[in-house]
Amino acid sequence: QKEVEQNSGPLSVPEGAIASLNCTYSDRGSQSFFWYRQYSGKSPELIMSIYSNGDKEDGRFTAQLNKASQYVSLLIRDSQPSDSATYLCAVSSGSARQLTFGSGTQLTVLP
Amino acid sequence: DTAVSQTPKYLVTQMGNDKSIKCEQNLGHDTMYWYKQDSKKFLKIMFSYNNKELIINETVPNRFSPKSPDKAHLNLHINSLELGDSAVYFCASSPSNGANPFFGPGTRLLVL
């Protein structure tokens, strides 16, 4: 059974701080890794994808992947109240490249 | 607007009823999905269709039956609704199987 685990939170950070969101996965053969943001009552939207070990930066967001440790993280620099949402980690694996989601981490950025 | 659209947005119904949710994408994607998100925000894939062909059929009750009349549409029919079916159902699409999906707005189903 493929599993993707995240701390459910809630995680609270002050405005301007760095928010760090973590995710571990069980399938060593996983190929692709994604972070989605979901505002309350809305649908998930893709904010980052990462496919190889290391860091990938996009604006205030940095995704980090360590396949040996089966660990992927998302850093949000200069956090803003508008970043308050649930962040879902998703991992693609298997011949069908099925996407498995974690249960999400609820982030609150305090003004 | 290019998007994934679903109807209805809200669905309140009695136990035992049969209902359908429609989904359409005009993104030209080959793969469409149905996901279920429960009250704890856990998002789980139910079905995946690639060019109208069923690719993934997770362990869902056979009361749930997807139908893909063409690659731009994937509808979900649910028979004999149960209380535990209450959830948000998201349709999604992606350019190919396994690429990151683009989600529709969701259908909030409440079974009374």
Side-chain angles (χ1 to χ4, degrees):
Chain A
Q1 174 107 12
K2 304 183 184 82
E3 292 183 353
V4 177
E5 302 213 354
Q6 298 180 248
N7 289 330
S8 60
L11 172 66
S12 294
V13 299
E15 185 174 355
I18 296 175
S20 177
L21 305 162
N22 304 316
C23 172
T24 59
Y25 57 95
S26 63
D27 185 356
R28 278 197 174 275
S30 298
Q31 306 116 339
S32 308
F33 307 85
F34 307 97
W35 283 99
Y36 283 79
R37 177 177 61 200
Q38 186 175 23
Y39 292 114
S40 180
K42 301 293 186 184
S43 55
E45 56 177 329
L46 180 71
I47 53 172
M48 287 288 284
S49 57
I50 187 166
Y51 305 99
S52 55
N53 279 331
D55 294 1
K56 179 181 177 183
E57 190 173 316
D58 184 1
R60 296 185 296 111
F61 299 98
T62 300
Q64 300 173 316
L65 175 61
N66 184 327
K67 289 187 177 180
S69 301
Q70 295 173 244
Y71 175 91
V72 58
S73 66
L74 179 71
L75 299 177
I76 307 174
R77 288 183 302 282
D78 188 24
S79 296
Q80 302 297 308
S82 58
D83 295 326
S84 298
T86 297
Y87 289 81
L88 301 167
C89 173
V91 175
S92 172
S93 58
S95 57
R97 298 175 67 186
Q98 181 178 334
L99 210 59
T100 301
F101 282 82
S103 57
T105 298
Q106 186 181 340
L107 172 68
T108 301
V109 180
L110 303 169
Chain B
D1 288 339
T2 55
V4 179
S5 59
Q6 296 178 228
T7 54
K9 289 185 77 171
Y10 299 95
L11 190 49
V12 181
T13 188
Q14 299 287 330
M15 250 180 15
N17 284 349
D18 303 339
K19 290 293 177 186
S20 292
I21 307 172
K22 294 186 177 181
C23 177
E24 177 182 359
Q25 57 95 5
N26 60 6
L27 297 163
H29 289 168
D30 285 339
T31 307
M32 295 186 73
Y33 312 84
W34 278 108
Y35 284 86
K36 178 181 179 181
Q37 188 169 45
D38 60 25
S39 56
K40 295 182 179 177
K41 297 289 189 185
F42 194 54
L43 191 62
K44 188 167 170 58
I45 191 166
M46 301 174 69
F47 302 102
S48 168
Y49 269 75
N50 191 54
N51 276 319
K52 302 196 304 173
E53 183 182 339
L54 181 65
I55 301 298
I56 294 171
N57 181 1
E58 284 298 300
T59 307
V60 296
N62 57 14
R63 299 181 293 104
F64 291 79
S65 52
K67 293 271 191 309
S68 183
D70 56 62
K71 76 173 194 178
H73 295 84
L74 180 62
N75 303 323
L76 183 66
H77 188 75
I78 316 170
N79 288 329
S80 303
L81 278 155
E82 299 178 358
L83 294 176
D85 297 332
S86 297
V88 181
Y89 292 84
F90 287 102
C91 178
S93 71
S94 64
S96 58
N97 190 36
N100 52 279
F102 184 89
F103 286 87
T107 295
R108 283 142 187 85
L109 171 65
L110 178 60
V111 182
L112 302 174

